[in-house]
Amino acid sequence: MSDPEASLIRRCAEGDQHAFQALVHRTQRPVWSLIRSLATDEGSAEDALQETFLSVWRSAASFRGEGSGRAWLFTVARRQAIRTWRRRVGEPTQAVPLHELGALAGWGQNPEQLMSMVDDKRLVSTALSSLSPTDREVIVLCDLEGMTGPEAGSVLGISPNAVRVRLHRARLRLMGQLREETDVTSEV
Amino acid sequence: MSQAKFEGDQLIGGVWCHQVLEMLEAYVEGTLSAAQLGRLQAHVSDCHACASFGQSYGHLVEVIRSGLEEEQDGSVFERLSERLADVG
């Protein structure tokens, strides 16, 4: 299967600067999106972005091609983000029973309201930014960046099955956050 | 044997509402077995709460996957390019 990122990383390992530029151009937006999902402030997020790509250039030779190039790149970015904020990103958030998350997400509530809030992309973005880094990153990787369970699992250091569980709970929390945002908005 | 876990949790088509909630992710990803899918469909055809919630959940995933309106400050990438200019 074609893996353009992997090819570019291999060429970076040989010192090919054009390949590095192409890799940066191709991946800077999704990498920025992941880093921002873990960031505490915009300024240090930008530092983390720059350090990520410097690290990619320096450590390209360590890419063994066992996973996809994109997964390797995101792993470097995630490590950089954790180093920057020295936070325990990726730790499971408190284990709330799934049916309680479902209730917070609006199960059994007004279906029209649920559907209309989900349709509002700006509201979804705002709600996403209010989630914990652990919830945000799994949604960014799987839903925004379209990573498979095994790919996201290799970035997060968890099994594909654990990715699915975390993703499901994160989406429910996102729906719960959307309901909160909607309540706040309608009160203004 | 499973039992109700919250108010309004109903057993329909041999499946409880809370079990539908557990299956939603697999349903959206299309990874349910034919038997699971049949049971889920039997439940939601008679359970308005699960049907509408499942629809909203699936729609949320579609909306995110179609891309969110992220504020992309182009100057971030210009500064990145400047910082990386001397690489090599």
Side-chain angles (χ1 to χ4, degrees):
Chain A
M1 205 169 79
S2 163
D3 185 344
E5 285 87 7
S7 308
L8 290 170
I9 293 165
R10 286 195 187 94
R11 285 170 54 198
C12 287
E14 293 161 5
D16 183 338
Q17 292 180 33
H18 294 298
F20 181 59
Q21 283 166 11
L23 182 68
V24 172
H25 185 71
R26 188 182 176 88
T27 59
Q28 60 188 5
R29 286 176 189 275
V31 167
W32 179 232
S33 184
L34 174 68
I35 287 175
R36 281 181 78 192
S37 78
L38 300 170
T40 49
D41 67 277
E42 199 86 350
S44 56
E46 197 172 330
D47 288 342
L49 176 72
Q50 295 179 358
E51 288 304 318
T52 292
F53 280 107
L54 288 171
S55 177
V56 164
W57 173 253
R58 286 192 294 258
S59 61
S62 70
F63 174 60
R64 302 270 174 252
E66 285 155 359
S68 70
R70 190 170 60 151
W72 181 82
L73 190 66
F74 276 48
T75 303
V76 174
R78 187 169 182 270
R79 279 197 197 125
Q80 187 58 51
I82 290 170
R83 205 172 293 138
T84 301
W85 294 292
R86 300 192 188 286
R87 289 195 315 181
R88 302 167 89 179
V89 171
E91 285 210 334
T93 41
Q94 201 180 357
V96 178
L98 195 67
H99 65 268
E100 285 183 24
L101 288 181
L104 290 171
W107 183 92
Q109 306 290 314
N110 182 343
E112 286 77 25
Q113 188 207 12
L114 275 181
M115 199 50 114
S116 66
M117 70 186 193
V118 161
D119 249 337
D120 186 336
K121 283 195 172 196
R122 189 173 296 176
L123 199 62
V124 174
S125 282
T126 306
L128 183 61
S129 64
S130 305
L131 294 183
S132 71
T134 302
D135 285 340
R136 273 202 309 266
E137 70 174 347
V138 73
I139 290 177
V140 166
L141 291 176
C142 296
D143 287 337
L144 269 174
E145 300 308 327
M147 282 192 155
T148 62
E151 258 187 317
S154 73
V155 175
L156 300 173
I158 58 178
S159 70
N161 207 40
V163 170
R164 294 177 54 188
V165 170
R166 191 178 287 185
L167 178 62
H168 186 36
R169 298 176 72 88
R171 286 171 180 161
L172 292 175
R173 285 198 186 88
L174 178 60
M175 288 178 81
Q177 192 60 41
L178 274 169
R179 289 183 68 216
E180 269 189 32
E181 299 283 344
T182 310
D183 287 346
V184 169
T185 311
S186 60
E187 281 168 14
V188 175
Chain B
M1 179 74 182
S2 192
Q3 55 186 9
K5 288 198 172 173
F6 52 87
E7 195 183 336
D9 194 2
Q10 298 185 83
L11 180 63
I12 300 172
V15 177
W16 290 92
C17 295
H18 73 261
Q19 292 174 312
V20 171
L21 189 61
E22 287 164 9
M23 287 192 273
L24 266 184
E25 188 272 343
Y27 174 72
V28 168
E29 302 302 334
T31 55
L32 286 178
S33 68
Q36 287 172 319
L37 185 60
R39 286 200 297 275
L40 183 135
Q41 284 171 337
H43 179 101
V44 296
S45 66
D46 279 326
C47 180
H48 184 61
C50 284
S52 61
F53 185 78
Q55 215 175 0
S56 298
Y57 180 97
H59 190 53
L60 173 66
V61 176
E62 277 174 22
V63 166
I64 300 173
R65 288 183 178 173
S66 69
L68 296 178
E69 294 163 7
E70 259 197 290
E71 288 171 32
Q72 295 271 14
D73 179 1
S75 63
V76 169
F77 303 122
E78 284 170 22
R79 287 190 291 275
L80 174 66
S81 180
E82 285 165 17
R83 176 81 197 276
L84 302 178
D86 297 330
V87 158

